[in-house]
Amino acid sequence: MSTIELAGVTKAWGGTVAVDDVSFTVEEGSFVVLLGPSGCGKSTTLRMIAGLETVSAGRVLIAGRDVTDSPPSERNISMVFQSYALFPHLDVAENIVFGLRVRKTPAAERAKRLARVAETVGLSELLGRKAAQLSGGQRQRVALARAIIAENPICLMDEPLSNLDAKLRHDMRGEIRGLQQRLGMTVVYVTHDQSEAMSMADKVILLRDGRVVQAGAPDQLYERPANVFTAGFIGTPPMNLLDLADGPEGAVIVGADGRPVLDGAGEGLKLGIRPEHIEMSDAGGLAAELVWSDYLGADTIVTARIGTQTLMVRVPGRHGTARGTRASLVWAPEAVHVFEAGSGRRVDDRQAIAMAA
Amino acid sequence: MSFARSNQVHIYGWLLLMPAAIFLIAFTYYPTVATLAHSFFSDGTALRPSVFVGLENYKLMLEDEVFWKVARNNFWFALGTIPVSVALALLMAVWVNGRLPARGLVRMAYFTPTVLPMIAVANIWLFFYTPDIGLVDQVLGMFGAPGHNWLGDPDTVLGCLIVMTVWKESGFFMIFYLAALQSLPPELEEAAKLEGAGRWYFFRRVTFPLLMPTTLFVLINAVINSFKLVDHLFILTKGGPDNASNLLLYYIYEVAFSFFDEAYAATLTVVLLAVLAVIAIGQFVILDKRIHYR
Ligand SMILES: Nc1ncnc2c1ncn2[C@@H]1O[C@H](COP(=O)(O)OP(=O)(O)OP(=O)(O)O)[C@@H](O)[C@H]1O
Ligand SMILES: [Mg+2]
């Protein structure tokens, strides 16, 4: 058993509340990502699970046992620190087996496990090297090896890939995920990179200002964002959010040509539509003016303007845009999300109007 | 043209170096060389000019009982002060580095001995050691111990000096350890804690090795200081009684300015310099191999 459960966990330093009444459950053997912008309390939450930070209120349970007041060493947890926290004067092998030595694991057993783990993370050649003489990616793998050699069922990782280049980061994502599945570890992984979260997680917990905004599988967050914050955080580029107003035949986009996009009233609502769900057609859609285009290789992100509001459109292939070109935008009614402008909450009982192509 | 230019650059270079070079030569290198040369000559007077005597002065030194006594004193003094003050400094630094209420105040308190002028400090300690009315005797008197002339007894005088020096040095060395401790990333301790390492284990395997460069620096300073002490002796004992608290540098001062035997003083100085150089080089060579520099 290695379930982690947080019940109403709060952390305050004097007046500042870093984590505010956070509750969630991490199932055994699952990969959970804590996602959120900088300063939202991800690291603090992770450190409270590890026991490196005291909890101001609430309870932390690991494998059903209340560990809120237990020291870190009693929680059977491994952790990969954002800064790796390797011991610079020890060589790679000694760094990896540090914990085994502390627990007085017999030398033969130690050597066996070291060989196996070094093989897994591809460090066999570097065991004699001092930690201070490694590249960033190698250090990261040492930190990872130190975390998995303990064979603890739970591993916490604090932005372990944030210092790597794009290619290495991509490779390491796959390696970490593969390792987690092979060893059946329960992993809590902190990142502020939503694409990392989407590609690795079984479950994403999105935080903002110390509170949980939404928790769920990546596709759930992508397909049914519970509020405008999630909608604006998940996806590259994120969902377009357009202010609506009342119109004679239904809600219209503020500043647009008066075409109804939604049944009923529109005042106080926002319409959400993902860039990849918008198509440019020759005519019959919403009139827009193209402003800018970013060519990304496989596709192009075109920035368009409807009245005073801007939105982005993902177009396959290359798309050159002269500033001021007129275009017509079309989307399917199923792709439309509706949110309350004030509270930001998702509204489900509204029907989008199909666009005549 | 280019020759003139490069010459000009050289002149600028030398001009910029000159102030520092003049002071170094005048006050460090020239005296060192002059002292070395002086030690091979006899002491000149108005009637008998100084003449080259080879190793005569060194032979005299080996036969000088006071020299041997002073050297022994200095050895015990170094052995008594260095390990204790370095260990105390490390201990205090680790303690003051932790979470402690009024941490700033405690740090300052430990550093005070270093800031105070040594003459004032020696006077304070002179009062502590005063027979019967001094602090030491007052405190011991509460337990019924009789008064004792601490600085007047050849058996206790060196010990008194050692205690005072440790008190002064350890606060100074603590500052270096403290600075080194503060530069260690706190995640190292957290990582060790997660692995279940206790405080002592972590200190032994991580903190102490990472502090080795500081330890080497502090050790060399401690050794040099232990051979450099004179100011306390002026106030406290003047080397007495019967040279029981006399140390090398103070003895050199006596020979040169009380007995006016400059040649012999030069000889002793050369020996002191040689001893210090050998110790410092030895420390570097032996410890350097085991030190992890970041
Ligand atoms: N020791 C501390 N004392 C006071 N406030 C703190 C302390 N540590 C963190 N905070 C505050 O708590 C909030 C959350 O910090 P935390 O480190 O958890 O953010 P994070 O989500 O990990 O951000 P990042 O992505 O930048 O690492 C921040 O506003 C931070 O300023
Ligand atoms: Mg963080």
Side-chain angles (χ1 to χ4, degrees):
Chain A
M1 272 292 283
S2 51
T3 328
I4 304 170
E5 202 181 327
L6 270 67
V9 167
T10 298
K11 177 71 193 185
W13 277 286
T16 54
V17 180
V19 174
D20 191 3
D21 192 20
V22 164
S23 304
F24 60 80
T25 307
V26 179
E27 300 299 339
E28 179 169 4
S30 67
F31 196 111
V32 169
V33 172
L34 291 178
L35 176 68
S38 183
C40 70
K42 307 179 294 290
S43 296
T44 308
T45 306
L46 202 69
R47 291 167 56 82
M48 285 192 289
I49 297 175
L52 296 172
E53 211 76 74
T54 56
V55 174
S56 305
R59 304 270 95 193
V60 178
L61 284 80
I62 293 177
R65 193 167 69 91
D66 189 334
V67 295
T68 314
D69 301 312
S70 313
S73 56
E74 281 175 25
R75 302 187 183 202
N76 284 330
I77 279 179
S78 303
M79 183 158 169
V80 180
F81 288 80
Q82 183 165 1
S83 55
Y84 310 142
L86 302 182
F87 305 113
H89 60 299
L90 298 179
D91 61 21
V92 170
E94 281 303 317
N95 263 289
I96 297 176
V97 301
F98 187 87
L100 298 188
R101 264 194 205 284
V102 171
R103 292 185 289 277
K104 304 214 166 61
T105 311
E109 165 80 5
R110 217 164 53 211
K112 207 174 71 192
R113 282 212 222 166
L114 173 63
R116 194 169 59 216
V117 170
E119 178 75 23
T120 310
V121 297
L123 281 173
S124 305
E125 315 293 309
L126 295 171
L127 290 178
R129 195 83 79 77
K130 285 267 162 64
Q133 302 161 337
L134 298 175
S135 78
Q138 291 163 340
R139 281 178 210 201
Q140 202 264 321
R141 282 181 285 163
V142 177
L144 201 62
R146 186 174 67 186
I148 60 179
I149 198 168
E151 297 179 2
N152 283 329
I154 296 174
C155 187
L156 310 177
M157 305 188 186
D158 194 351
E159 303 195 27
L161 306 185
S162 54
N163 298 339
L164 306 186
D165 68 63
K167 161 129 179 40
L168 193 54
R169 187 181 311 182
H170 181 262
D171 294 348
M172 289 305 297
R173 274 186 204 173
E175 267 184 60
I176 291 179
R177 186 71 165 119
L179 205 65
Q180 177 263 337
Q181 284 173 342
R182 210 157 56 244
L183 304 178
M185 285 190 292
T186 306
V187 172
V188 182
Y189 186 105
V190 164
T191 181
H192 57 241
D193 178 350
Q194 59 89 25
S195 68
E196 204 165 286
M198 299 298 278
S199 69
M200 296 175 86
D202 292 320
K203 177 169 156 187
V204 177
I205 294 166
L206 183 60
L207 295 175
R208 177 203 197 180
D209 295 339
R211 290 166 190 268
V212 176
V213 177
Q214 189 173 358
D219 55 338
Q220 237 174 330
L221 266 70
Y222 179 81
E223 282 161 19
R224 287 182 59 82
N227 50 50
V228 288
F229 180 76
T230 310
F233 202 84
I234 304 285
T236 28
M239 186 183 282
N240 296 301
L241 294 163
L242 302 167
D243 290 327
L244 296 179
D246 292 340
E249 299 158 58
V252 297
I253 294 171
V254 173
D257 55 4
R259 238 191 121 95
V261 291
L262 202 67
D263 274 338
E267 197 60 47
L269 294 180
K270 276 178 189 287
L271 177 142
I273 179 82
R274 293 213 175 266
E276 47 272 41
H277 296 154
I278 306 178
E279 270 180 59
M280 290 213 232
S281 75
D282 300 330
L286 214 59
E289 185 189 338
L290 303 188
V291 182
W292 183 253
S293 70
D294 287 307
Y295 174 57
L296 300 180
D299 40 27
T300 305
I301 308 296
V302 178
T303 307
R305 185 175 287 150
I306 297 182
T308 53
Q309 309 192 63
T310 54
L311 72 169
M312 294 192 214
V313 183
R314 186 190 289 272
V315 192
R318 178 160 205 148
H319 191 280
T321 316
R323 202 188 159 85
T325 316
R326 309 223 52 93
S328 156
L329 306 181
V330 184
W331 56 71
E334 314 81 82
V336 168
H337 306 255
V338 184
F339 302 97
E340 277 178 24
S343 66
R345 237 175 299 139
R346 181 184 185 83
V347 179
D348 272 326
D349 56 356
R350 302 298 297 270
Q351 196 63 52
I353 295 175
M355 305 218 181
Chain B
M1 165 67 200
S2 108
F3 178 73
R5 245 186 80 98
S6 104
N7 242 355
Q8 220 174 13
V9 172
H10 281 289
I11 289 170
Y12 279 133
W14 282 110
L15 281 176
L16 288 170
L17 276 177
M18 207 156 63
I22 285 177
F23 279 106
L24 267 178
I25 290 167
F27 294 109
T28 305
Y29 300 121
Y30 171 70
T32 309
V33 174
T35 305
L36 185 64
H38 208 119
S39 72
F40 297 116
F41 286 85
S42 72
D43 211 31
T45 61
L47 296 177
R48 282 189 312 136
S50 124
V51 291
F52 183 79
V53 292
L55 292 174
E56 188 65 27
N57 283 324
Y58 291 88
K59 216 178 113 210
L60 255 169
M61 183 186 78
L62 294 179
E63 288 160 5
D64 178 7
E65 265 172 48
V66 178
F67 166 74
W68 286 112
K69 176 153 198 178
V70 167
R72 257 197 317 278
N73 280 348
N74 223 143
F75 174 77
W76 288 117
F77 180 76
L79 207 68
T81 52
I82 297 168
V84 177
S85 60
V86 172
L88 257 182
L90 183 54
L91 199 77
M92 294 193 303
V94 169
W95 189 53
V96 174
N97 191 40
R99 282 189 210 97
L100 198 71
R103 189 161 50 163
L105 202 72
V106 177
R107 282 184 197 173
M108 202 187 69
Y110 281 126
F111 196 53
T112 315
T114 310
V115 184
L116 290 177
M118 273 336 288
I119 301 295
V121 166
N123 272 308
I124 296 171
W125 280 82
L126 192 60
F127 165 68
F128 287 174
Y129 288 137
T130 311
D132 298 324
I133 57 164
L135 187 74
V136 178
D137 269 2
Q138 296 257 350
V139 171
L140 288 176
M142 286 195 287
F143 301 98
H148 184 80
N149 188 357
W150 294 99
L151 296 177
D153 182 345
D155 290 337
T156 53
V157 65
L158 198 60
C160 290
L161 276 184
I162 289 175
V163 168
M164 191 186 94
T165 308
V166 166
W167 169 82
K168 180 202 158 200
E169 301 267 89
S170 48
F172 182 54
F173 295 149
M174 179 198 76
I175 297 301
F176 295 105
Y177 274 125
L178 198 57
L181 279 174
Q182 305 242 300
S183 71
L184 295 185
E187 297 91 55
L188 294 187
E189 187 167 3
E190 292 174 349
K193 242 196 235 167
L194 272 172
E195 302 281 8
R199 286 185 62 144
W200 170 241
Y201 186 88
F202 176 72
F203 177 81
R204 196 161 52 79
R205 285 235 33 223
V206 182
T207 312
F208 188 69
L210 287 178
L211 289 179
M212 271 318 259
T214 313
T215 303
L216 176 65
F217 173 78
V218 162
L219 267 183
I220 288 177
N221 266 288
V223 168
I224 291 172
N225 283 354
S226 73
F227 283 96
K228 241 175 51 178
L229 189 86
V230 270
D231 29 13
H232 303 167
L233 294 179
F234 275 114
I235 303 295
L236 288 174
T237 66
K238 302 234 187 305
D242 188 22
N243 286 322
S245 65
N246 206 350
L247 299 177
L248 264 176
L249 196 59
Y250 190 76
Y251 184 51
I252 293 174
Y253 168 82
E254 276 188 331
V255 168
F257 298 109
S258 299
F259 313 150
F260 295 106
D261 189 347
E262 279 181 33
Y264 188 40
T267 312
L268 290 171
T269 306
V270 169
V271 170
L272 178 60
L273 282 179
V275 168
L276 284 181
V278 166
I279 292 176
I281 291 170
Q283 279 176 327
F284 265 118
V285 171
I286 294 169
L287 289 177
D288 221 29
K289 289 199 189 72
R290 312 173 174 202
I291 290 186
H292 169 81
Y293 289 102
R294 263 169 301 167

